[in-house]
Amino acid sequence: MEIKLDLSRKYGIFEGFGASGAWWAQEVGGWEHTDIESGISVRDRISELLYSKEKGIGLRTYRYNIGAGSAHSGNSDIGNPLRRTESFDKGNGEYDFSRDKNAVYMMKQAAKDGADEIILFVNSPVERLTKNGRSHLGKRQIMRDNLSRKNYRAFARYCLDVTEHFVKEGLPVKYLSPVNEPIWIWNGGQEGCHYSPISAARVMKCFADELAQRKALKDVKLSGVESGDLRWFNKSYTRALMHYKSVREKIDAVDVHSYCLPLPIPLPGFNDRVAFIRRYRKWLDKHYPGLEVKMSEWCHMQGGRDKSMASALVMANVIYEDISILNVSSWQHWIAVSEVDYCDGLIYINLEDKSFEMTKRYYVTGNFSKYIPFGAEKTGVICEDKDLKALAFCKDGEKVLVIINDTDKTKKITLSDMKNGGQIIITDENNGLTHKTLYENTVDISAKSVSTVIFE
C-alpha cells in the first residue's frame, strides 16, 4: 500500500502542542529533591521531559491558571486541595506576587526549557468580584452568571495587571483567556463560572477594550471562549464573540475544547464527534472564512490510571480528527501531569513518595509535538490503506508524516515521496519514541502504533 503527499492541498500553518499546569504545578513546583536518573531536581526533570526538544517531547505552549483565590478563603466547595487556587489579589487594590510560587516556578521553568508561548487562563474571576463571593455557584443555583456586569471592568483590570506583571518579568505571554467552559453550571468540585453566550462576549469585549489601552501588552492577544463540549452552543458562542469589532481585533482564533462527553441515554448521532466537528467547520467557513480554530483542552475522560497504548491511541485519533477535519492550528492537553486515579495526564505523579511515572500518551504526544516544527504547513496526504490515518506537514523542504495504525496487524507501506531515506520514530507496546534509520521507502508500521516519518 502506498502513502504519498498531495502538495496541491494546503491547509494552513500549524503552531504546535501544549498543556496546562493546572492542579499539579502548585504541588510539583515544590519538589526540589533530586531525580536519580537525571541528577537534577524532580520538578526540573518533569519540566524538561515536557518542554525540552532535546531531552523531552518539546511541547510549545504552557497554560497557566490565574486562580480565583479559593485556597485562601475556604469558601468554596472543592474537596481536592490541589483544585483550590491561590490569587495574587489581596482585596485592597494591592497584589502579592509571592503567592502561587510553586505554579509560577513551573511556568518559568517551562519557558527556560523551551515553551515559547504562555497562555494565561481563568476558570473563575477572583472571589471578591463574584456575585456570591465564591469561585463557583451554590448547589441549588443553575445556569446563572456568577459575575455582575458592574464588575467586568475590575475583572479585566486584575487579569491584565497579572498579565503585565509576567510580561515585564520576560515571560513569553502571548494570550489571555478570561472565559473557560462557560456552558457548564459549576456548582463545586473546582473553580468555574457560567456565562451565557451574550455575557461571555460582553466580558471579552471589556477585556478587548481594556487591552487596547495597555501599551505594554501590545503583543498579547485574547483567546476564547473555550466551550466545554464540541456539540453544544459552539456556534452561539462564536457568533456572539464575533459580534464585537474590538474583540475581532484582539482575537486571532476561536478556541474550543474537544470533548464529546457520552450522554447518559443513547441518542442516535449525539455521540458522533466527527459529525459535529465537520458541521462546525463547514459553518465557520461559510460565516467566518479565514477564522482559525485552536483546540485548547482535551483529556481522555475515563476513570482509572491508564498508561497503555489503548488510551494513547484514543488520544491520537482525536488529534487526527481535530487536525484533518476541524483544521485546528494548535492542540493542547488539559493537564500535563496527573495525581489522581483518572485518565488525564501525560505523566502520573505519586504524592506519597513524590515520584513520577510515564504513560504511552506522553510518548505518542511526542510523535507529534517533538517532530512537527513550529510553522509547518499542513498538506494533503493520500493513503491507500483505509485502516491507517496519516497527517502530513512540510517546512523548509522537510516532510513529516505521522501515521496511526489502530489495527492488530503490521502494515507494510511504500512512501513514494521518500527518495533518499529518512528516519522513523515508533511508539507502540514495546517502543517509546524509538528511532530507526530508513534506507528504502518500504516501511513496516507496527500494530497498535503511532509512527513519525521524517525525510527531505
Side-chain angles (χ1 to χ4, degrees):
M1 292 291 184
E2 186 180 44
I3 293 181
K4 60 181 179 179
L5 302 180
D6 182 358
L7 298 180
S8 67
R9 293 186 292 154
K10 300 182 186 300
Y11 302 102
I13 299 301
F14 193 75
E15 298 178 7
F17 291 80
S20 87
W23 302 355
W24 62 270
Q26 60 264 48
E27 170 68 26
V28 173
W31 289 9
E32 299 182 44
H33 58 291
T34 301
D35 172 58
I36 302 301
E37 182 179 337
S38 64
I40 61 177
S41 69
V42 170
R43 63 182 183 179
D44 288 359
R45 178 56 177 157
I46 288 175
S47 175
E48 186 178 72
L49 285 167
L50 293 167
Y51 287 95
S52 169
K53 277 280 189 185
E54 293 74 31
K55 299 180 180 180
I57 59 172
L59 296 179
R60 175 175 180 255
T61 301
Y62 187 97
R63 291 171 57 83
Y64 173 82
N65 180 213
I66 300 177
S70 57
H72 306 300
S73 69
N75 290 334
S76 297
D77 183 17
I78 301 174
N80 186 335
L82 289 184
R83 297 187 179 189
R84 306 171 200 153
T85 68
E86 296 186 30
S87 169
F88 305 114
D89 178 63
K90 295 175 67 175
N92 56 2
E94 297 180 355
Y95 301 141
D96 182 356
F97 285 108
S98 69
R99 293 176 175 177
D100 205 24
K101 64 177 183 179
N102 289 350
V104 170
Y105 177 89
M106 293 308 297
M107 172 172 58
K108 292 180 176 179
Q109 191 61 34
K112 290 179 181 178
D113 285 324
D116 61 4
E117 178 180 86
I118 289 174
I119 299 172
L120 307 180
F121 75 99
V122 180
N123 287 329
S124 166
V126 289
E127 288 184 328
R128 70 174 175 85
L129 297 178
T130 62
K131 290 179 180 179
N132 63 1
R134 309 174 79 189
S135 60
H136 56 72
L137 292 175
K139 289 295 184 185
R140 297 183 181 179
Q141 296 174 311
I142 57 173
M143 306 308 281
R144 298 185 191 176
D145 296 3
N146 200 23
L147 182 68
S148 300
R149 289 187 69 180
K150 66 179 182 180
N151 284 334
Y152 286 3
R153 185 72 59 184
F155 175 38
R157 286 173 177 164
Y158 168 66
C159 291
L160 289 167
D161 286 347
V162 172
T163 304
E164 198 163 323
H165 168 79
F166 287 130
V167 167
K168 287 179 177 178
E169 286 202 332
L171 289 170
V173 180
K174 305 298 183 184
Y175 292 94
L176 171 62
S177 175
V179 177
N180 189 274
E181 296 193 341
I183 65 173
W184 303 133
I185 298 172
W186 300 121
N187 289 125
Q190 67 180 79
E191 296 181 349
C193 189
H194 171 79
Y195 299 95
S196 69
I198 293 174
S199 296
R202 285 172 175 168
V203 169
M204 294 290 284
K205 181 183 185 301
C206 187
F207 271 76
D209 294 343
E210 183 70 22
L211 183 58
Q213 307 302 314
R214 305 269 186 135
K215 292 183 179 180
L217 300 180
K218 60 182 177 61
D219 296 324
V220 175
K221 293 274 192 177
L222 294 177
S223 67
V225 293
E226 307 204 48
S227 191
D229 191 308
L230 276 167
R231 294 165 295 186
W232 317 124
F233 304 108
N234 279 292
K235 295 177 184 177
S236 300
Y237 281 103
T238 302
R239 190 183 295 111
L241 195 65
M242 294 294 105
H243 174 73
Y244 293 110
K245 181 177 183 291
S246 60
V247 173
R248 296 195 303 271
E249 290 174 348
K250 289 297 181 182
I251 201 167
D252 58 11
V254 58
D255 285 53
V256 300
H257 292 176
S258 207
Y259 299 114
C260 184
L261 307 180
L263 296 177
I265 54 175
L267 290 174
F270 275 86
N271 290 330
D272 187 349
R273 73 181 302 276
V274 170
F276 277 92
I277 63 177
R278 184 172 282 119
R279 286 197 293 271
Y280 183 47
R281 181 72 263 177
K282 184 178 180 180
W283 179 84
L284 283 170
D285 290 340
K286 178 181 179 180
H287 295 281
Y288 305 102
L291 179 62
E292 289 188 8
V293 179
K294 296 184 178 182
M295 206 300 292
S296 54
E297 183 178 318
W298 183 86
C299 74
H300 188 181
M301 299 285 284
Q302 175 178 290
R305 287 194 172 196
D306 191 333
K307 297 180 285 184
S308 72
M309 276 302 298
S311 174
L313 285 165
V314 168
M315 177 195 72
N317 279 292
V318 170
I319 294 174
Y320 170 82
E321 292 164 0
D322 288 349
I323 294 177
S324 65
I325 300 171
L326 191 54
N327 194 22
V328 300
S329 57
S330 69
W331 201 95
Q332 296 153 36
H333 287 275
W334 160 222
I335 55 174
V337 178
S338 175
E339 95 286 359
V340 296
D341 189 25
Y342 202 69
C343 193
D344 64 347
L346 302 180
I347 297 173
Y348 284 121
I349 56 171
N350 304 299
L351 299 180
E352 295 78 10
D353 61 359
K354 297 184 178 180
S355 63
F356 66 91
E357 49 191 323
M358 313 305 291
T359 71
K360 288 293 185 180
R361 287 189 300 277
Y362 169 85
Y363 295 106
V364 166
T365 296
N367 277 97
F368 296 88
S369 60
K370 189 176 177 73
Y371 304 104
I372 300 171
F374 168 70
E377 187 163 40
K378 296 171 282 183
T379 64
V381 58
I382 300 170
C383 182
E384 292 182 341
D385 190 330
K386 302 307 178 185
D387 288 335
L388 300 178
K389 298 182 177 73
L391 295 167
F393 304 84
C394 300
K395 185 177 182 182
D396 299 332
E398 184 177 82
K399 313 294 190 292
V400 179
L401 276 171
V402 182
I403 304 167
I404 303 167
N405 181 8
D406 206 356
T407 74
D408 294 317
K409 297 179 179 178
T410 296
K411 299 280 188 172
K412 186 177 290 292
I413 62 168
T414 299
L415 298 169
S416 58
D417 298 285
M418 188 171 68
K419 306 299 184 184
N420 300 308
Q423 295 284 323
I424 185 169
I425 301 96
I426 305 161
T427 300
D428 56 21
E429 288 292 350
N430 301 311
N431 295 281
L433 297 178
T434 300
H435 283 243
K436 293 184 179 180
T437 300
L438 298 176
Y439 298 101
E440 54 187 39
N441 65 358
T442 300
V443 184
D444 286 335
I445 305 297
S446 59
K448 297 293 182 183
S449 70
V450 178
S451 299
T452 306
V453 181
I454 304 171
F455 58 95
E456 293 185 356

